[in-house]
PDB file of all heavy atoms in Angstrom:
ATOM      1  N   GLY A 212     124.301  11.477 216.840  1.00 91.00           N
ATOM      2  CA  GLY A 212     123.471  11.636 215.652  1.00 91.00           C
ATOM      3  C   GLY A 212     123.083  13.071 215.358  1.00 91.00           C
ATOM      4  O   GLY A 212     122.879  13.444 214.204  1.00 91.00           O
ATOM      5  N   ILE A 213     122.972  13.883 216.387  1.00 88.00           N
ATOM      6  CA  ILE A 213     122.526  15.271 216.198  1.00 88.00           C
ATOM      7  C   ILE A 213     123.676  16.257 216.359  1.00 88.00           C
ATOM      8  O   ILE A 213     123.524  17.440 216.136  1.00 88.00           O
ATOM      9  CB  ILE A 213     121.373  15.599 217.179  1.00 88.00           C
ATOM     10  CG1 ILE A 213     120.205  14.677 216.900  1.00 88.00           C
ATOM     11  CG2 ILE A 213     120.926  17.034 217.053  1.00 88.00           C
ATOM     12  CD1 ILE A 213     118.997  14.941 217.735  1.00 88.00           C
ATOM     13  N   ASP A 214     124.839  15.752 216.733  1.00 87.00           N
ATOM     14  CA  ASP A 214     126.016  16.595 216.909  1.00 87.00           C
ATOM     15  C   ASP A 214     125.816  17.612 218.025  1.00 87.00           C
ATOM     16  O   ASP A 214     125.966  18.818 217.839  1.00 87.00           O
ATOM     17  CB  ASP A 214     126.398  17.283 215.597  1.00 87.00           C
ATOM     18  CG  ASP A 214     127.796  17.895 215.646  1.00 87.00           C
ATOM     19  OD1 ASP A 214     128.647  17.351 216.364  1.00 87.00           O
ATOM     20  OD2 ASP A 214     128.014  18.925 214.988  1.00 87.00           O
ATOM     21  N   LEU A 215     125.424  17.082 219.181  1.00 90.00           N
ATOM     22  CA  LEU A 215     125.294  17.889 220.393  1.00 90.00           C
ATOM     23  C   LEU A 215     126.103  17.217 221.496  1.00 90.00           C
ATOM     24  O   LEU A 215     126.266  15.999 221.485  1.00 90.00           O
ATOM     25  CB  LEU A 215     123.837  17.943 220.858  1.00 90.00           C
ATOM     26  CG  LEU A 215     122.856  18.796 220.084  1.00 90.00           C
ATOM     27  CD1 LEU A 215     121.446  18.585 220.635  1.00 90.00           C
ATOM     28  CD2 LEU A 215     123.217  20.255 220.177  1.00 90.00           C
ATOM     29  N   PRO A 216     126.558  17.991 222.470  1.00 94.00           N
ATOM     30  CA  PRO A 216     127.208  17.368 223.624  1.00 94.00           C
ATOM     31  C   PRO A 216     126.187  16.519 224.408  1.00 94.00           C
ATOM     32  O   PRO A 216     125.005  16.850 224.467  1.00 94.00           O
ATOM     33  CB  PRO A 216     127.678  18.554 224.468  1.00 94.00           C
ATOM     34  CG  PRO A 216     127.610  19.743 223.574  1.00 94.00           C
ATOM     35  CD  PRO A 216     126.597  19.442 222.533  1.00 94.00           C
ATOM     36  N   VAL A 217     126.661  15.439 225.011  1.00 95.00           N
ATOM     37  CA  VAL A 217     125.784  14.542 225.764  1.00 95.00           C
ATOM     38  C   VAL A 217     125.069  15.302 226.881  1.00 95.00           C
ATOM     39  O   VAL A 217     123.877  15.082 227.120  1.00 95.00           O
ATOM     40  CB  VAL A 217     126.579  13.340 226.334  1.00 95.00           C
ATOM     41  CG1 VAL A 217     125.718  12.480 227.235  1.00 95.00           C
ATOM     42  CG2 VAL A 217     127.150  12.495 225.197  1.00 95.00           C
ATOM     43  N   ASP A 218     125.775  16.196 227.547  1.00 95.00           N
ATOM     44  CA  ASP A 218     125.155  16.965 228.633  1.00 95.00           C
ATOM     45  C   ASP A 218     123.976  17.799 228.134  1.00 95.00           C
ATOM     46  O   ASP A 218     122.970  17.940 228.826  1.00 95.00           O
ATOM     47  CB  ASP A 218     126.173  17.880 229.323  1.00 95.00           C
ATOM     48  CG  ASP A 218     127.185  17.100 230.142  1.00 95.00           C
ATOM     49  OD1 ASP A 218     126.897  15.933 230.493  1.00 95.00           O
ATOM     50  OD2 ASP A 218     128.265  17.652 230.429  1.00 95.00           O
ATOM     51  N   GLU A 219     124.094  18.347 226.931  1.00 94.00           N
ATOM     52  CA  GLU A 219     123.000  19.137 226.371  1.00 94.00           C
ATOM     53  C   GLU A 219     121.798  18.248 226.051  1.00 94.00           C
ATOM     54  O   GLU A 219     120.651  18.635 226.271  1.00 94.00           O
ATOM     55  CB  GLU A 219     123.462  19.882 225.115  1.00 94.00           C
ATOM     56  CG  GLU A 219     122.504  20.957 224.670  1.00 94.00           C
ATOM     57  CD  GLU A 219     123.081  21.849 223.580  1.00 94.00           C
ATOM     58  OE1 GLU A 219     124.317  21.981 223.493  1.00 94.00           O
ATOM     59  OE2 GLU A 219     122.273  22.421 222.833  1.00 94.00           O
ATOM     60  N   VAL A 220     122.063  17.042 225.550  1.00 95.00           N
ATOM     61  CA  VAL A 220     120.987  16.083 225.290  1.00 95.00           C
ATOM     62  C   VAL A 220     120.277  15.754 226.604  1.00 95.00           C
ATOM     63  O   VAL A 220     119.050  15.761 226.670  1.00 95.00           O
ATOM     64  CB  VAL A 220     121.546  14.808 224.625  1.00 95.00           C
ATOM     65  CG1 VAL A 220     120.470  13.711 224.570  1.00 95.00           C
ATOM     66  CG2 VAL A 220     122.049  15.106 223.224  1.00 95.00           C
TER      67      VAL A 220
END
Side-chain angles (χ1 to χ4, degrees):
I213 299 183
D214 194 30
L215 286 174
V217 174
D218 290 340
E219 194 170 334
V220 170

